[in-house]
Amino acid sequence: GENVEQHPSTLSVQEGDSAVIKCTYSDSASNYFPWYKQELGKRPQLIIDIRSNVGEKKDQRIAVTLNKTAKHFSLHITETQPEDSAVYFCAATRGNTPLVFGKGTRLSVIA
Amino acid sequence: GAGVSQTPSNKVTEKGKYVELRCDPISGHTALYWYRQSLGQGPEFLIYFQGTGAADDSGLPNDRFFAVRPEGSVSTLKIQRTERGDSAVYLCASSLTLGDTQYFGPGTRLTVL
């Protein structure tokens, strides 16, 4: 089955700097890669996703890149703000299989 | 419209008791998923439904866990003879159909004393 590894487990950045979180996956048939943001005690919220037919997707300060050959994808947050502080999870699926999540990255943005 | 809702938000029970956790998906969503999230971990898949049938229950840890979705909308996760190791946040998600974006509910925090 699919296995998703996520790094780093914790990340601290200064406000205004960029943050990058990386995930690798094992199943070459996986074709959908969402990223969720989870604040303490709250539900996971989808922030961006990418399908395997594109290599990059951007939404304002957030971007995701996908390298199918290397089987890894990354989340990029630019101009970080204190409200970006949360736990971020990557996930992967073939589409007809359940999401497999990484273990999460705790991002702290220091004002 | 309304998002995914789950009840109760918190459930405290004693070891050996039976519990039911409820999930109301987004209206019109045919796929419904149950996950379990332990502290400091990502959500782990338990079971998912496409319509009324369980399409994949391979994530259920043992036969004490069971889930139903009799009318293809609301789902109930049932745990028999609860154990302390069952303590976690149980998350429900739904999507328009299998493979579409999954939207999560707020979760039920289960504590087994």
Side-chain angles (χ1 to χ4, degrees):
Chain A
E2 176 66 274
N3 183 51
V4 176
E5 300 283 342
Q6 183 171 348
H7 300 280
S9 56
T10 60
L11 179 62
S12 291
V13 298
Q14 293 289 330
E15 183 178 0
D17 287 351
S18 295
V20 180
I21 302 170
K22 299 181 179 181
C23 289
T24 60
Y25 61 99
S26 61
D27 185 354
S28 57
S30 286
N31 58 15
Y32 175 61
F33 308 91
W35 285 89
Y36 286 85
K37 174 184 180 182
Q38 188 174 31
E39 298 179 35
L40 190 62
K42 300 293 180 69
R43 75 186 74 195
Q45 297 264 21
L46 180 76
I47 56 170
I48 196 166
D49 55 10
I50 192 167
R51 296 192 184 270
S52 58
N53 57 344
V54 297
E56 185 174 357
K57 183 176 179 181
K58 189 173 181 181
D59 182 4
Q60 299 183 342
R61 297 186 297 109
I62 295 173
V64 56
T65 58
L66 171 65
N67 183 325
K68 288 170 54 180
T69 303
K71 290 190 283 188
H72 67 70
F73 57 112
S74 300
L75 177 71
H76 304 254
I77 306 174
T78 58
E79 300 172 22
T80 53
Q81 301 167 3
E83 53 264 39
D84 294 330
S85 296
V87 180
Y88 291 80
F89 292 99
C90 63
T93 176
R94 292 185 175 193
N96 61 349
T97 56
L99 287 173
V100 177
F101 285 84
K103 291 188 183 297
T105 296
R106 181 174 300 279
L107 174 65
S108 299
V109 179
I110 304 163
Chain B
V4 179
S5 62
Q6 292 185 245
T7 55
S9 55
N10 281 284
K11 177 70 178 178
V12 180
T13 191
E14 293 180 342
K15 181 175 179 294
K17 299 289 189 182
Y18 168 83
V19 297
E20 289 189 352
L21 313 180
R22 176 188 167 108
C23 172
D24 280 88
I26 293 172
S27 178
H29 280 196
T30 64
L32 184 148
Y33 313 78
W34 284 99
Y35 295 87
R36 180 166 70 174
Q37 187 174 29
S38 300
L39 194 63
Q41 302 291 318
E44 293 181 320
F45 164 73
L46 295 176
I47 184 172
Y48 82 84
F49 293 85
Q50 178 62 44
T52 60
D56 184 347
D57 64 358
S58 62
L60 295 177
N62 51 60
D63 61 5
R64 296 187 297 105
F65 289 74
F66 189 70
V68 295
R69 195 187 186 198
E71 298 179 356
S73 178
V74 171
S75 177
T76 305
L77 179 65
K78 309 180 181 194
I79 310 174
Q80 298 178 319
R81 304 183 304 279
T82 51
E83 300 177 356
R84 292 194 180 88
D86 298 336
S87 296
V89 175
Y90 288 80
L91 292 165
C92 174
S94 71
S95 63
L96 191 59
T97 190
L98 187 60
D100 283 338
T101 300
Q102 293 185 30
Y103 298 93
F104 281 83
T108 293
R109 181 175 299 278
L110 175 66
T111 302
V112 182
L113 301 176

